[in-house]
Amino acid sequence: MREHRTVESLVIRTAVPADAPALTALHARARATYYPDGVPADGTDWSAAWRTAVERPDGQVLCAVEGGRVIALASFRTPEGGSADTVKLFQFHVDPDHWRRGVGAALHTACVEHWRADGRRTAVLDVHVDNRRAQAFYARHGWVPDPPNPPREGDHHLLLRRSVDGE
């Protein structure tokens, strides 16, 4: 078992457009860990998608930086058709070289603090069914299956929900 260490030189900040290449690379590395047959090529221009996410006036991208390098990211906003007191965590990734060091926990805490400050009451997310590591992480941080939205047959994602009010 790997040792748990807290990262003391970690800075969590709002991502800026210049971070898009680092966000794209980190996203690809992290996703590759839970696709057993490789990340599917779906035609998405992830570099453009990350630039758009960073520049969205209705969203937020936080990144964790250590030694000048982006090592984790979180992207969230109100879901399409969702109420203003709900936030959807669209992306949450930690560089695999930094797993089990407290980076994800620190970034998650920053997200929850941000959501509380924005008056959010509920957070939701989709997690890939093969990403057992992420599912365990989310469970440790208070996320539970979303009862009104069970996965449909053949769906590759589980829907999770978390109260923002309490830890």
Side-chain angles (χ1 to χ4, degrees):
M1 184 168 172
R2 297 173 94 179
E3 179 183 336
H4 293 249
R5 292 180 291 151
T6 302
V7 180
E8 298 196 21
S9 61
L10 191 68
V11 173
I12 297 174
R13 62 169 173 77
T14 300
V16 296
D19 292 321
L23 300 172
T24 303
L26 171 58
H27 181 218
R29 274 180 48 84
R31 286 183 73 211
T33 65
Y34 59 89
Y35 278 101
D37 300 321
V39 178
D42 62 3
T44 301
D45 177 348
W46 284 106
S47 184
W50 279 109
R51 277 191 310 277
T52 299
V54 168
E55 295 172 346
R56 282 183 79 113
D58 64 338
Q60 180 80 35
V61 178
L62 297 181
C63 59
V65 179
E66 183 180 57
R69 184 171 165 245
V70 174
I71 61 170
L73 62 87
S75 173
F76 51 88
R77 66 180 183 276
T78 303
E80 293 294 322
S83 67
D85 69 347
T86 299
V87 63
K88 182 168 184 176
L89 182 59
F90 283 92
Q91 302 284 343
F92 190 97
H93 300 290
V94 175
D95 186 303
D97 290 343
H98 295 273
W99 284 350
R100 311 292 297 172
R101 293 183 44 210
V103 174
L107 182 58
H108 186 272
T109 297
C111 289
V112 173
E113 289 170 357
H114 195 283
W115 301 337
R116 282 188 188 134
D118 281 351
R120 306 303 182 121
R121 296 175 39 121
T122 303
V124 296
L125 64 80
D126 304 337
V127 62
H128 196 277
V129 295
D130 292 330
N131 193 346
R132 302 285 185 215
R133 175 183 294 274
Q135 291 172 40
F137 172 86
Y138 291 129
R140 285 192 307 274
H141 291 278
W143 295 83
V144 296
D146 188 7
N149 296 298
R152 290 182 223 134
E153 176 118 13
D155 196 351
H156 297 287
H157 290 86
L158 303 172
L159 304 175
L160 303 180
R161 170 176 297 275
R162 181 190 193 284
S163 169
V164 174
D165 296 333
E167 271 302 317

